[in-house]
């Protein structure tokens, strides 16, 4: 009962605090703008993506009469679809390429990131709910709560309340509850608005779950900030000190640690430059079968083994087109080399993420960001999932092309063999589906654990502050 | 030494001080008695030129406070009700700072000497002010007056919140200052202290000076009766 | 009087933990940011050096092979293996020239957009590709962005200024010392001005000294004239935030309210105004999706390739003297045609690209008009320009490469048309065609 009185009293004071009220309204306004513009941006991107995909397929099918291997060189593009949750948490979406060129002999990296076309003068100041929740919301919590306990001590109200028979426990937990209620009251309208604007109730079920999980993650982060605010306010002797300490904490966990971590990760585990990468790929490729050079050592050995197996001495006597077979053999070899080198890059990225989990332990802001990116399907894993599917599709397409050459460019048709629209129309189509299940990857688990630990420890801080005896 | 001539202050038409005539000679402790809101602090603020009077003027050593605010401030020391010093500096450092503001550059021994005269324990002088009691802070204020050999002392409720011993200590310091030839104006609502320490007593109500008494001519109970009568009218 | 006030302000300031923390952290983060910036620039210099050397070795090697052929020591089986062929020299197997946007002397100060846009590229006769050295970078890094001096200055230093300055007057009021100060024979305005001035000088001193000391240690050319405007700008930026502190203190007596207001202003200038400006600019002039650009480009290639014979025949009719008659090798006509087609494709792609570039340029226009709304944005942009890492400079790489490619073509194509092979001597004398 007493606690209810404390909460009510605290909430009345918050509502009458013009500064807090103004800030809360401003934050809600910014959230509304960010959701609306985010949704518009998402619509633009996804319609452009599906249109480009459609046109690209038409271009493939209507590329004219040509040799299947010329078609392999001509190649086609895959375009990465965007997750609807990018409205709320764009993650790495802006920094990964939107298009991936799929061609014979090589695995390309995706090109044209959205960031290149945006004059984002101050980089991470992009108005999205994630940005507002990461940076602005904690400030609102700090502003609303930094005085809650310490000001009672300063004004002498604390002694008065204690004399009324209110325990310190009730006082501090009551104020914590009041701050929680304030956060929920501001968050609830955003939550419903976002849900409706993004059309989540009628979209795929997985997206709805993702949204709910996102909300939970944010709540967890807000909870940490609430607990820290009340904790510091209970320990501080002056409200000025409480304020400055909380601002320092805010600066360290939202600005400093994320930046320093990522720069540390980059310098501890540096990624080779693109030219170094292709140099080492080229070196390895020269050791293998060159589909275009029938005279290379490996090509000759392969040809001889095929000739032997069929008991003939000239490739022209083989019952199929030898170059088709050799190209496929080369393709598979090249893929192995590329896979090997790209895996190397991926493992560097994984080690970098390992450094991030260290930063995530120090900063709940960072662990929240990394977790919510993953939940929203806008992190590097979501991007990898796409590139892997695209690569599987590429190798499948190359096989179809090479097999066509091998099986049909025989006998009289061997020289100047071309195929056409009928064949290209039958080629496989890339139908990329975003994963419908949320499976936390191994390197996301530390982020989630860090976030939960922060939540529990910060709640413990409040508990400790509440149980501490203090003479004022 | 300290003179007010028809000193008047109105805030938005509300009269705070009206037609105040005071004349305090050197070697005199003048106690201004009155309830909260009688206009005592407003009077002091005008003497400090925090705001100008609506009409009338005040003279310190013959100089107008409105025309020569900085000159007149050189000759006075002000000790507010709750003398606040910089909490993270020591008493000695605070004294040195405020002396410096009036152009007095003092060495450590001089500073310690003045603090000692003001009655501050030697072991406290180099401790941070945040550890001081109110009485100790006021001693630093008096030391400032001693160091600057001020002609005029303005005191606003200096003894409120002091325990009897500290209050007594402070009264002695005022005697000391009086003997050194300072003109002292002390605003207070402590009848006992006014009678004991003051040489003259002025009773103020609603911005007006109601009565002036010589302290030695009147008993405690008479003073109380006179005071209460003026409050009722 | 000034030195007296400064001395006692110093006595007080040095005992506050907010100042101690500032004095400790600011030099550390400035040093770290300059170190990272310096490493970035060193890496770029090393990369440029390495590429120039590899280019040199490549052509030395070609000259060597050509000499062996001239001396009859070796023979070639295929035309594309003959290094004397202008086409081979200008187009084949790693031929071509690198074009660089060399880092400016103060590049270490701001990483700017250099993690998004490449600073060098390679051109040959038909291709012009910017080398994205960072294509393999973990995109998570780019979200956080580089930790550079510009970030420290524009984002973090104001927060330290606020910690030092938020209570410069309100503390005197709250502590009650203002009353005593008012009774002193020095005007209160002067005392307060000196206090603010001292704090301003101290924090500017810490920042400038850190920049100069770390800059000197790292060998960033801080002695050069270009540094003076940077230092002045740093002082002006810090002064701006101090002025805000004074202004806020003037209007409000509560340190807590001052802190909220000042952090609020920080959020406004550093976070909200820039993000709203970006949002506004991209809504006013949306850049079409690059996905569409990719398909457009393909469409053009396909269309031109289908008509390549017609193009070539009409060009030949117009420029009969440019084409060799009689018995030419197989590759000659094929490549004559291909080079011409490439020209046509590039022209048309440029037209299509314009559709993407013009909204982007309009965006840039809108942003630069609105930028003065936030001094932080102005400062950040200016730092990038000084460092030469702003998007506009980095995007000029394509233009540089285009110019350079023109020279490259002008040098080789006439010789190819006449099939005048290069001697070993001539190969080693291919001009560097300097670009800077």
């Amino acid at each position: 009962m007493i606690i209810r009185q404390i909460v009510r009293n605290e909430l009345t004071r918050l509502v009458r605090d013009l500064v807090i009220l103004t800030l809360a309204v401003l934050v809600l306004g910014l959230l509304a703008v960010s959701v609306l513009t985010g949704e518009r941006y998402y619509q633009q991107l996804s319609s452009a993506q599906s249109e480009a995909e459609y046109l690209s397929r038409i271009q493939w099918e209507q590329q004219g009469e040509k040799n299947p291997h010329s078609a392999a060189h001509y190649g086609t593009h895959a375009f990465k679809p965007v997750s609807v949750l990018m409205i709320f948490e764009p993650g790495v979406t802006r920094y990964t390429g939107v298009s991936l060129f799929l061609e014979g002999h090589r695995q390309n990296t995706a090109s044209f990131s959205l960031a290149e076309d945006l004059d984002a003068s101050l980089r991470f100041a992009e108005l999205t709910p994630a940005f507002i929740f990461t940076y602005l919301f904690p400030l609102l919590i700090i502003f609303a709560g930094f005085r809650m306990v310490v000001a009672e001590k300063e004004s002498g109200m604390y002694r008065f309340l204690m004399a009324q028979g209110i325990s310190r426990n009730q006082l501090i937990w009551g104020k914590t509850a009041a701050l929680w209620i304030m956060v929920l009251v501001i968050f609830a309208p955003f939550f419903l608005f976002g849900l409706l604007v993004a059309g989540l109730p009628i979209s795929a079920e997985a997206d709805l779950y993702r949204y709910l999980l996102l909300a939970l993650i944010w709540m967890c982060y807000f909870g940490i900030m609430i607990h820290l605010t009340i904790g510091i306010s209970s320990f501080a002797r002056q409200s000025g000190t409480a304020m400055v300490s909380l601002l320092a904490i805010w600066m360290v966990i939202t600005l400093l640690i994320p930046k320093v971590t990522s720069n540390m990760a980059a310098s501890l585990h540096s990624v080779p430059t693109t030219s170094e990468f292709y140099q080492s790929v080229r070196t390895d490729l020269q050791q293998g079968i060159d589909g275009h050079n029938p005279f290379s050592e490996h090509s000759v050995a392969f040809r001889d083994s095929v000739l032997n197996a069929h008991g003939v001495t000239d490739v022209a006597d083989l019952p199929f087109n030898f170059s088709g077979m050799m190209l496929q053999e080369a393709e598979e070899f090249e893929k192995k080399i590329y896979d090997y080198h790209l895996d190397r890059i991926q493992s560097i990225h994984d080690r970098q993420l390992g450094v991030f989990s260290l930063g995530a332990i120090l900063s709940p802001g960072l662990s929240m960001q990394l977790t919510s990116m993953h939940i929203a399907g806008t992190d590097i894993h979501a991007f990898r999932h796409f590139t892997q599917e695209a690569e599987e599709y590429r190798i499948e397409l190359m096989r179809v092309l090479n097999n066509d050459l091998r099986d049909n460019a025989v006998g009289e048709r061997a020289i100047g063999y071309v195929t056409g629209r009928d064949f290209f129309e039958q080629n496989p189509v890339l139908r990329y589906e975003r994963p419908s299940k949320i499976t936390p990857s191994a390197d996301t688990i530390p982020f989630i654990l860090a976030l939960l630990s922060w939540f529990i420890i910060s709640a413990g801080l409040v508990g400790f502050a509440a149980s501490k005896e203090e003479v004022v | 030494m300290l003179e007010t001539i028809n000193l008047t202050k109105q805030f938005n038409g509300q009269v705070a001080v009206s037609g105040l005539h005071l004349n305090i000679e050197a070697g005199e402790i003048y106690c201004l008695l009155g309830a909260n809101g009688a206009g005592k602090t407003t009077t002091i603020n005008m003497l400090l030129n925090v705001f100008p009077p609506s009409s009338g003027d005040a003279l310190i050593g013959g100089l107008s406070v409105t025309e020569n605010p900085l000159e007149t401030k050189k000759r006075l020391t002000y000790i507010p009700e709750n003398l606040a010093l910089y909490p993270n500096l020591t008493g000695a450092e605070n004294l040195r700072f405020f002396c410096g503001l009036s152009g007095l550059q003092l060495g450590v021994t001089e500073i310690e000497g003045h603090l000692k005269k003001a009655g501050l324990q030697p072991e406290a002088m180099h401790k941070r002010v945040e550890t001081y009691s109110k009485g100790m802070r006021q001693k630093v204020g008096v030391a400032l007056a001693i160091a600057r050999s001020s002609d005029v002392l303005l005191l606003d409720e200096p003894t409120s919140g002091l325990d009897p011993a500290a209050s007594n200590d402070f009264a002695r310091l005022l005697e000391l200052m009086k003997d050194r030839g300072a003109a002292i104006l002390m605003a207070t609502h402590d009848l006992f202290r006014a009678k004991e320490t003051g040489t003259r007593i002025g009773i103020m109500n609603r911005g007006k000076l109601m009565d002036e008494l010589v302290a030695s001519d009147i008993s405690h109970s008479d003073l109380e009766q006179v005071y209460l009568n003026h409050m009722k009218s | 009087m000034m030195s007296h006030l400064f001395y006692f302000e110093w006595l007080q300031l040095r005992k506050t933990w907010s100042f101690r923390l500032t004095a400790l952290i600011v030099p550390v983060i400035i040093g770290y940011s300059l170190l990272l910036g310096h490493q970035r620039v060193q890496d770029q210099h090393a990369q440029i050096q390495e590429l120039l050397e590899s280019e040199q070795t490549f052509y030395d090697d070609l000259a060597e092979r050509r000499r062996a052929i001239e001396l009859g020591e070796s023979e070639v089986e295929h035309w594309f293996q003959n290094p004397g062929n202008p086409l081979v020299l200008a187009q084949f197997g790693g031929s071509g020239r690198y074009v660089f946007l060399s880092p400016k002397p103060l590049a270490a100060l701001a990483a700017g957009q250099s993690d998004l846009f490449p600073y060098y590229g390679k051109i040959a006769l038909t291709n012009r590709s910017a080398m994205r050295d960072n294509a393999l970078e973990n995109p998570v890094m780019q979200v956080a962005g580089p930790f550079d001096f510009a970030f420290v200055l524009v984002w973090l230093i104001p927060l330290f200024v606020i910690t030092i300055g938020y209570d410069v007057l309100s503390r005197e009021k709250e502590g009650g010392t203002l009353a005593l100060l008012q009774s002193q024979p020095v005007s209160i305005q002067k005392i307060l001005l000196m206090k603010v001035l001292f704090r301003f000088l101290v924090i500017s001193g810490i920042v400038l000294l850190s920049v100069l000391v770390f800059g000197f240690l790292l060998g960033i050319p801080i002695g050069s004239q270009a540094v003076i405007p940077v230092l002045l700008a740093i002082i002006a930026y810090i002064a701006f935030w101090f002025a805000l502190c004074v202004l806020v203190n003037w209007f409000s007596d509560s340190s807590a309210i001052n802190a909220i207001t000042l952090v609020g202003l920080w959020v406004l200038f550093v976070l909200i105004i820039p993000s709203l400006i970006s949002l506004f600019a991209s809504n006013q002039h949306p850049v079409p999706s690059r996905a569409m650009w990719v398909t457009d480009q393909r469409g053009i290639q396909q269309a031109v390739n289908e008509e390549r014979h017609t193009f070539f025949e009409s060009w030949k009719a117009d420029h009969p003297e440019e084409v060799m008659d009689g018995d030419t090798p197989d590759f000659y006509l094929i490549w004559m045609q291909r080079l011409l087609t490439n020209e046509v494709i590039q022209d048309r792609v440029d037209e299509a690209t314009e559709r993407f570039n013009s909204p982007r340029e309009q965006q840039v226009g809108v942003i630069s008009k609105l930028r003065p709304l936030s001094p932080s944005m102005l400062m950040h942009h200016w730092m990038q320009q000084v460092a030469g890492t702003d998007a506009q400079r980095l995007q000029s790489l394509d233009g540089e490469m285009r110019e350079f490619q023109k020279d490259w073509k002008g040098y080789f194509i006439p010789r190819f048309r006449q099939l005048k092979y290069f001697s070993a001597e001539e190969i080693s004398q291919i001009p560097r065609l300097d670009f800077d």
Side-chain angles (χ1 to χ4, degrees), chain C residues 216-233:
Chain C
F216 176 74
L217 290 178
L218 291 169
I220 296 165
I222 46 158
S224 74
Q225 286 229 302
V227 177
I228 295 166
V230 175
L231 298 183
L232 289 178

mmCIF file of all heavy atoms in Angstrom, chain C residues 216-233:
data_model
loop_
_atom_site.group_PDB
_atom_site.id
_atom_site.type_symbol
_atom_site.label_atom_id
_atom_site.label_comp_id
_atom_site.label_asym_id
_atom_site.label_seq_id
_atom_site.Cartn_x
_atom_site.Cartn_y
_atom_site.Cartn_z
ATOM 1 N N PHE C 216 52.929 15.761 -32.689
ATOM 2 C CA PHE C 216 54.382 15.822 -32.833
ATOM 3 C C PHE C 216 54.984 14.429 -32.686
ATOM 4 O O PHE C 216 55.808 13.990 -33.488
ATOM 5 C CB PHE C 216 54.950 16.765 -31.776
ATOM 6 C CG PHE C 216 56.445 16.824 -31.775
ATOM 7 C CD1 PHE C 216 57.121 17.504 -32.778
ATOM 8 C CD2 PHE C 216 57.177 16.176 -30.788
ATOM 9 C CE1 PHE C 216 58.503 17.547 -32.795
ATOM 10 C CE2 PHE C 216 58.558 16.213 -30.805
ATOM 11 C CZ PHE C 216 59.230 16.902 -31.803
ATOM 12 N N LEU C 217 54.538 13.694 -31.657
ATOM 13 C CA LEU C 217 55.080 12.348 -31.406
ATOM 14 C C LEU C 217 54.824 11.428 -32.592
ATOM 15 O O LEU C 217 55.646 10.587 -32.938
ATOM 16 C CB LEU C 217 54.454 11.746 -30.149
ATOM 17 C CG LEU C 217 54.885 12.388 -28.830
ATOM 18 C CD1 LEU C 217 54.161 11.739 -27.664
ATOM 19 C CD2 LEU C 217 56.401 12.260 -28.650
ATOM 20 N N LEU C 218 53.644 11.577 -33.207
ATOM 21 C CA LEU C 218 53.284 10.664 -34.294
ATOM 22 C C LEU C 218 53.833 11.145 -35.632
ATOM 23 O O LEU C 218 53.749 10.435 -36.624
ATOM 24 C CB LEU C 218 51.762 10.544 -34.391
ATOM 25 C CG LEU C 218 51.097 9.829 -33.233
ATOM 26 C CD1 LEU C 218 49.591 10.015 -33.298
ATOM 27 C CD2 LEU C 218 51.428 8.346 -33.253
ATOM 28 N N GLY C 219 54.358 12.355 -35.660
ATOM 29 C CA GLY C 219 54.896 12.851 -36.921
ATOM 30 C C GLY C 219 53.837 13.380 -37.868
ATOM 31 O O GLY C 219 54.037 13.425 -39.073
ATOM 32 N N ILE C 220 52.679 13.757 -37.312
ATOM 33 C CA ILE C 220 51.687 14.440 -38.136
ATOM 34 C C ILE C 220 52.195 15.870 -38.314
ATOM 35 O O ILE C 220 52.661 16.476 -37.343
ATOM 36 C CB ILE C 220 50.306 14.435 -37.426
ATOM 37 C CG1 ILE C 220 49.823 12.992 -37.279
ATOM 38 C CG2 ILE C 220 49.279 15.248 -38.200
ATOM 39 C CD1 ILE C 220 48.687 12.814 -36.307
ATOM 40 N N PRO C 221 52.154 16.409 -39.549
ATOM 41 C CA PRO C 221 52.794 17.714 -39.765
ATOM 42 C C PRO C 221 52.062 18.861 -39.073
ATOM 43 O O PRO C 221 51.385 19.668 -39.695
ATOM 44 C CB PRO C 221 52.759 17.879 -41.282
ATOM 45 C CG PRO C 221 51.645 17.014 -41.726
ATOM 46 C CD PRO C 221 51.575 15.870 -40.772
ATOM 47 N N ILE C 222 52.232 18.938 -37.753
ATOM 48 C CA ILE C 222 51.538 19.982 -37.000
ATOM 49 C C ILE C 222 52.259 21.312 -37.092
ATOM 50 O O ILE C 222 51.756 22.323 -36.630
ATOM 51 C CB ILE C 222 51.385 19.603 -35.512
ATOM 52 C CG1 ILE C 222 52.721 19.062 -35.016
ATOM 53 C CG2 ILE C 222 50.286 18.620 -35.293
ATOM 54 C CD1 ILE C 222 52.873 19.160 -33.547
ATOM 55 N N GLY C 223 53.479 21.286 -37.660
ATOM 56 C CA GLY C 223 54.204 22.540 -37.792
ATOM 57 C C GLY C 223 53.750 23.341 -39.001
ATOM 58 O O GLY C 223 54.054 24.517 -39.126
ATOM 59 N N SER C 224 52.999 22.663 -39.881
ATOM 60 C CA SER C 224 52.671 23.318 -41.141
ATOM 61 C C SER C 224 51.626 24.403 -40.932
ATOM 62 O O SER C 224 50.908 24.427 -39.935
ATOM 63 C CB SER C 224 52.162 22.298 -42.150
ATOM 64 O OG SER C 224 50.858 21.914 -41.814
ATOM 65 N N GLN C 225 51.542 25.292 -41.910
ATOM 66 C CA GLN C 225 50.616 26.420 -41.818
ATOM 67 C C GLN C 225 49.175 25.967 -41.783
ATOM 68 O O GLN C 225 48.335 26.610 -41.175
ATOM 69 C CB GLN C 225 50.839 27.325 -43.016
ATOM 70 C CG GLN C 225 52.110 28.130 -42.894
ATOM 71 C CD GLN C 225 51.820 29.571 -43.180
ATOM 72 O OE1 GLN C 225 51.331 29.889 -44.248
ATOM 73 N NE2 GLN C 225 52.103 30.431 -42.236
ATOM 74 N N ALA C 226 48.916 24.822 -42.436
ATOM 75 C CA ALA C 226 47.544 24.340 -42.531
ATOM 76 C C ALA C 226 46.960 24.056 -41.156
ATOM 77 O O ALA C 226 45.747 23.982 -40.990
ATOM 78 C CB ALA C 226 47.502 23.080 -43.384
ATOM 79 N N VAL C 227 47.832 23.892 -40.158
ATOM 80 C CA VAL C 227 47.348 23.517 -38.832
ATOM 81 C C VAL C 227 46.722 24.709 -38.112
ATOM 82 O O VAL C 227 45.791 24.536 -37.323
ATOM 83 C CB VAL C 227 48.497 22.932 -37.999
ATOM 84 C CG1 VAL C 227 48.033 22.603 -36.610
ATOM 85 C CG2 VAL C 227 49.014 21.685 -38.673
ATOM 86 N N ILE C 228 47.207 25.907 -38.413
ATOM 87 C CA ILE C 228 46.735 27.075 -37.657
ATOM 88 C C ILE C 228 45.212 27.229 -37.732
ATOM 89 O O ILE C 228 44.564 27.341 -36.689
ATOM 90 C CB ILE C 228 47.465 28.351 -38.119
ATOM 91 C CG1 ILE C 228 48.939 28.187 -37.744
ATOM 92 C CG2 ILE C 228 46.896 29.593 -37.465
ATOM 93 C CD1 ILE C 228 49.859 29.157 -38.401
ATOM 94 N N PRO C 229 44.620 27.190 -38.942
ATOM 95 C CA PRO C 229 43.153 27.283 -38.964
ATOM 96 C C PRO C 229 42.483 26.173 -38.168
ATOM 97 O O PRO C 229 41.444 26.399 -37.537
ATOM 98 C CB PRO C 229 42.783 27.177 -40.441
ATOM 99 C CG PRO C 229 44.037 27.136 -41.200
ATOM 100 C CD PRO C 229 45.199 27.174 -40.290
ATOM 101 N N VAL C 230 43.082 24.977 -38.185
ATOM 102 C CA VAL C 230 42.492 23.866 -37.429
ATOM 103 C C VAL C 230 42.481 24.193 -35.944
ATOM 104 O O VAL C 230 41.468 24.030 -35.262
ATOM 105 C CB VAL C 230 43.269 22.553 -37.684
ATOM 106 C CG1 VAL C 230 42.733 21.443 -36.805
ATOM 107 C CG2 VAL C 230 43.190 22.169 -39.146
ATOM 108 N N LEU C 231 43.616 24.693 -35.460
ATOM 109 C CA LEU C 231 43.686 25.029 -34.033
ATOM 110 C C LEU C 231 42.684 26.136 -33.694
ATOM 111 O O LEU C 231 41.997 26.070 -32.674
ATOM 112 C CB LEU C 231 45.110 25.470 -33.664
ATOM 113 C CG LEU C 231 46.193 24.406 -33.860
ATOM 114 C CD1 LEU C 231 47.538 24.933 -33.403
ATOM 115 C CD2 LEU C 231 45.862 23.118 -33.114
ATOM 116 N N LEU C 232 42.593 27.121 -34.578
ATOM 117 C CA LEU C 232 41.642 28.204 -34.336
ATOM 118 C C LEU C 232 40.213 27.667 -34.319
ATOM 119 O O LEU C 232 39.398 28.055 -33.475
ATOM 120 C CB LEU C 232 41.784 29.286 -35.407
ATOM 121 C CG LEU C 232 43.069 30.111 -35.314
ATOM 122 C CD1 LEU C 232 43.140 31.111 -36.451
ATOM 123 C CD2 LEU C 232 43.147 30.831 -33.967
ATOM 124 N N ALA C 233 39.939 26.757 -35.238
ATOM 125 C CA ALA C 233 38.592 26.197 -35.300
ATOM 126 C C ALA C 233 38.284 25.411 -34.028
ATOM 127 O O ALA C 233 37.168 25.460 -33.507
ATOM 128 C CB ALA C 233 38.458 25.302 -36.525
#
